[in-house]
Amino acid sequence: MKIVILAPQGVQSLDVVGPAEVFWQAARRLGNADAYQIQIMGISDEPIRGTGALRFLPDRTIQDPDEPIDTLLVAGSDPYLPPQDPAVCAWLIRRAPTCRRYGSICTGVFLLAQAGLLEGKQVTTHWECADKLRHDYPGLNIDSDQIFIRDGQLATAAGVSSGIDLALALVEEDHGRDIALIVARFMVVFLKRPGGQSQFSAHLTAQIADKGPIQSIADYILSDLRADLSVEALAGRANMSTRNFSRVFLRDIGVTPADFVEAARLDAARRLLQDSVMPLQRVADRCGFGDLHSLRRVFRRTLGVGPADYRATFQTSSPQSKRARTPARLTRASKVAPLS
């Protein structure tokens, strides 16, 4: 099947290379070079400038005669202002409906929106440009917190590394979990960073703050989730009043201390549910929830599913191949490594 990646000038290079590598590796592992035929589509026949000073030579251009396309992905550009070229819109309007599936990576969503191909669809994009997308296209149903979203024939990804997640999901859809898992392991990425997973994690959020008292408190939270992490206890550790600590934490980290603690514990629980067969009660204890009821309540409120259902959907391999091995104290690295 033919995979076409439309790459505008200034393309985010990983939006092209990441998915292309996934599809190429899948064809290789299937032992069938025709399983995925990857083409880079240019707007013109000029070399395509990419980020990181890379250059891409287009295999075809939108001026060439039409050929069948199975999957069409529109890569994003940096900066994320789409080319105001009516020929691009006309090509997308003509070609996208003929594909089995089409979609965007990162700011490529702007081109699909410009072509009027997103009406009535739920979409995502990189968090940094979501507000602009909302401003430019107020009628869209935008969820900027998702890694990728599949809505019927359409698939949109948050961008940069999330294009790899989307491509793996498409490979799994085409050829099954085993092939997708082989590709993911070879590329040293996780097979399932769920489409519904947030673009943010407590680990990444903690890095926003400048090094100082609040960064130290964030590091402390991430290092021992079973400690007393109440606002009062954390404020005392920072030698601040509770009111001032809450204000400064929100200013430096971007979320309240309570929300950060909950996000950190949720990150840890998701990791254990995906990567171990540890009983739910032990997961709740290791991640600082205290009891199974609290774990379930946070999962249902935040993710819309209980922890058991989450594990059944996203566990990375069969229980028979797993060992429930987690240190008595979760370290920052083991607990909050980004779910990527």
Side-chain angles (χ1 to χ4, degrees), residues 275-287:
D275 295 344
S276 81
V277 291
M278 184 179 291
L280 295 183
Q281 180 58 59
R282 287 184 61 197
V283 171
D285 178 64
R286 293 290 177 90
C287 299

Side-chain angles (χ1 to χ4, degrees), residues 250-314:
L250 177 60
R251 181 196 68 194
D252 289 0
I253 300 294
V255 296
T256 67
D259 286 345
F260 183 83
V261 169
E262 182 176 283
R265 286 172 169 161
L266 184 63
D267 278 356
R270 289 165 70 162
R271 173 69 71 204
L272 288 176
L273 291 172
Q274 288 175 213
D275 295 344
S276 81
V277 291
M278 184 179 291
L280 295 183
Q281 180 58 59
R282 287 184 61 197
V283 171
D285 178 64
R286 293 290 177 90
C287 299
F289 287 101
D291 58 61
L292 187 53
H293 176 72
S294 296
L295 176 70
R296 285 173 173 153
R297 184 178 67 250
V298 171
F299 261 73
R300 291 193 180 279
R301 173 167 51 80
T302 306
L303 303 177
V305 296
D309 289 337
Y310 182 89
R311 167 175 275 168
T313 302
F314 297 122

Side-chain angles (χ1 to χ4, degrees), residues 220-234:
Y220 170 71
I221 293 169
L222 295 171
S223 71
D224 190 356
L225 293 177
R226 290 188 291 179
D228 180 1
L229 301 180
S230 65
V231 176
E232 294 77 14
L234 295 173

